[in-house]
């Protein structure tokens, strides 16, 4: 298991099991994968024809049982992207069977 501590104080992207995309600085985590993000925004990617958006959230706690993927954000590349112009279909949720 990769320890999340290497991502502390770094900008990360979190994909949740209900398809949400959260971007923020990881300021705390625990062994259950509970995460605390600072300066969080939710990226809402919409299909073509609709403008996508970034919704500011601020400090946000993500429950570990809702986390699917966590990855470090390349801040230089991320700053070059106009997220209102990015389009796509909803990722959809995950199901536990």
């Amino acid at each position: 298991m990769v320890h999340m501590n290497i991502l502390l104080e770094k900008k990360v992207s979190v994909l949740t099991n209900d398809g949400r995309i959260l971007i923020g600085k990881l300021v705390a985590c625990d062994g259950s994968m509970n995460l605390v993000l600072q300066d969080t925004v939710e990226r809402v990617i919409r299909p073509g024809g609709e403008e996508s958006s970034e919704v500011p959230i601020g400090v946000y706690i993500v429950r570990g049982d809702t986390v699917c993927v966590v990855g470090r954000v390349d801040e230089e590349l991320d700053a070059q992207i106009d997220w209102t112009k990015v389009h796509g279909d909803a990722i959809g949720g995950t199901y536990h069977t």
Side-chain angles (χ1 to χ4, degrees):
M1 179 171 122
V2 175
H3 294 281
M4 293 296 296
N5 292 337
I6 63 172
L7 295 176
L8 283 175
E9 301 302 318
K10 306 286 192 284
K11 188 173 185 180
V12 297
S13 175
V14 178
L15 176 62
T16 64
N17 62 6
D18 62 355
R20 296 176 70 197
I21 302 168
L22 304 167
I23 310 294
K25 182 168 78 170
L26 181 64
V27 294
C29 59
D30 66 13
S32 297
M33 195 63 120
N34 295 307
L35 310 174
V36 179
L37 302 176
Q38 183 179 2
D39 302 322
T40 310
V41 295
E42 179 178 0
R43 288 195 176 138
V44 181
I45 308 299
R46 295 192 172 89
E50 294 183 66
E51 192 170 90
S52 297
S53 62
E54 289 188 315
V55 180
I57 298 174
V59 175
Y60 195 75
I61 298 172
V62 186
R63 284 182 42 149
D65 62 353
T66 68
V67 174
C68 286
V69 178
V70 179
R72 187 168 178 189
V73 172
D74 181 330
E75 295 187 57
E76 185 177 317
L77 177 62
D78 191 61
Q80 297 174 17
I81 299 171
D82 180 356
W83 289 100
T84 64
K85 305 282 189 248
V86 174
H87 300 287
D89 293 326
I91 294 172
T94 60
Y95 303 95
H96 301 279
T97 57

